[in-house]
Amino acid sequence: LKSVIARQDSYENAIRTAQNRLNAEETALEATSTILTRLKELSIQGLNDTYGPKDREIIALEMQGLQEDLLSYANTQDVNGAYLFSGSRVFTPPFAMNSQGEITYQGDETVNLVDVGDQRQVRLNRTGTEVFSGVSREMPDGSRQGRSFFESVQDLVNAVRTSDRQAMNQGLAELDGLSQGVAVSIAKVGSAMN
């Protein structure tokens, strides 16, 4: 009887831990989604012909700030200081800027599961590459090139800054793909919470 009670207590603790972590993930993902929506609004604004290069520079400054916010949410930690989106490397920030100024993923692809019952496990995390997934960009020659989440956002900021309408349209289309990836992750977190 004592072992059954101990096991049940262990499951209850695991459920609380999982719930707290999933709540933190959901909060970070919803904030990310809000930022992506704002980036889309600003991109559409930047495409408006009534704006000149100086106006677009101001828009790009706001977009750059939002990109920094995205990085902050991608590097969210739980109450214990563990990074949410690093896979098993919970004490390593999932995303960091390398020496070339590119934001790269430093986590791994480990999916962490926790036992919440005799026959049930709950997924405790989403990896950074799953949540902040990149896009496949069509190049002028018809080939496709992979761009990371943060590369795609940076390219869009640069396109607005330089008034490159073609690149702005491409970035706007890619933004929809980035938003879709985050929305899928939010749905998965919600499903795990139930």
Side-chain angles (χ1 to χ4, degrees), residues 13-32:
N13 286 336
I15 290 169
R16 273 193 300 277
T17 299
Q19 190 70 37
N20 289 338
R21 188 166 171 97
L22 291 170
N23 284 335
E25 274 191 30
E26 184 177 48
T27 299
L29 293 172
E30 287 177 350
T32 297

Side-chain angles (χ1 to χ4, degrees), residues 3-192:
S3 68
V4 171
I5 292 172
R7 190 170 58 236
Q8 190 62 33
D9 287 344
S10 173
Y11 292 150
E12 287 177 19
N13 286 336
I15 290 169
R16 273 193 300 277
T17 299
Q19 190 70 37
N20 289 338
R21 188 166 171 97
L22 291 170
N23 284 335
E25 274 191 30
E26 184 177 48
T27 299
L29 293 172
E30 287 177 350
T32 297
S33 180
T34 299
I35 290 170
L36 291 172
T37 299
R38 180 64 181 148
L39 285 171
K40 184 173 184 174
E41 292 167 355
L42 291 168
S43 300
I44 292 168
Q45 197 175 359
L47 280 165
N48 189 320
D49 287 333
T50 61
Y51 290 97
K54 290 183 191 239
D55 299 313
R56 289 190 183 99
E57 177 62 34
I58 292 168
I59 292 169
L61 284 173
E62 182 177 346
M63 292 174 79
Q64 189 69 49
L66 291 170
Q67 183 181 14
E68 292 167 10
D69 291 343
L70 286 172
L71 179 58
S72 178
Y73 285 115
N75 287 332
T76 297
Q77 294 172 283
D78 67 15
V79 295
N80 298 316
Y83 289 96
L84 298 179
F85 304 115
S86 284
S88 67
R89 296 180 182 164
V90 295
F91 297 109
T92 300
F95 294 93
M97 194 170 294
N98 65 20
S99 60
Q100 290 82 34
E102 301 164 336
I103 297 171
T104 59
Y105 184 60
Q106 302 181 117
D108 63 25
E109 300 305 313
T110 302
V111 173
N112 300 315
L113 301 172
V114 63
D115 292 326
V116 294
D118 288 336
Q119 302 287 322
R120 181 146 196 261
Q121 291 182 318
V122 171
R123 185 173 175 181
L124 199 56
N125 70 319
R126 259 126 293 283
T127 64
T129 55
E130 177 185 356
V131 175
F132 300 94
S133 58
V135 295
S136 178
R137 178 179 294 168
E138 186 171 346
M139 304 308 287
D141 66 1
S143 66
R144 302 213 60 87
Q145 179 186 36
R147 299 296 284 171
S148 77
F149 182 96
F150 289 102
E151 285 174 322
S152 183
V153 172
Q154 184 60 56
D155 291 347
L156 179 57
V157 172
N158 291 340
V160 171
R161 180 173 286 124
T162 60
S163 298
D164 183 339
R165 295 183 67 75
Q166 181 178 350
M168 280 191 268
N169 280 316
Q170 181 178 41
L172 194 55
E174 289 176 0
L175 204 53
D176 286 337
L178 301 179
S179 295
Q180 180 67 26
V182 171
V184 167
S185 293
I186 291 171
K188 288 179 179 178
V189 168
S191 175

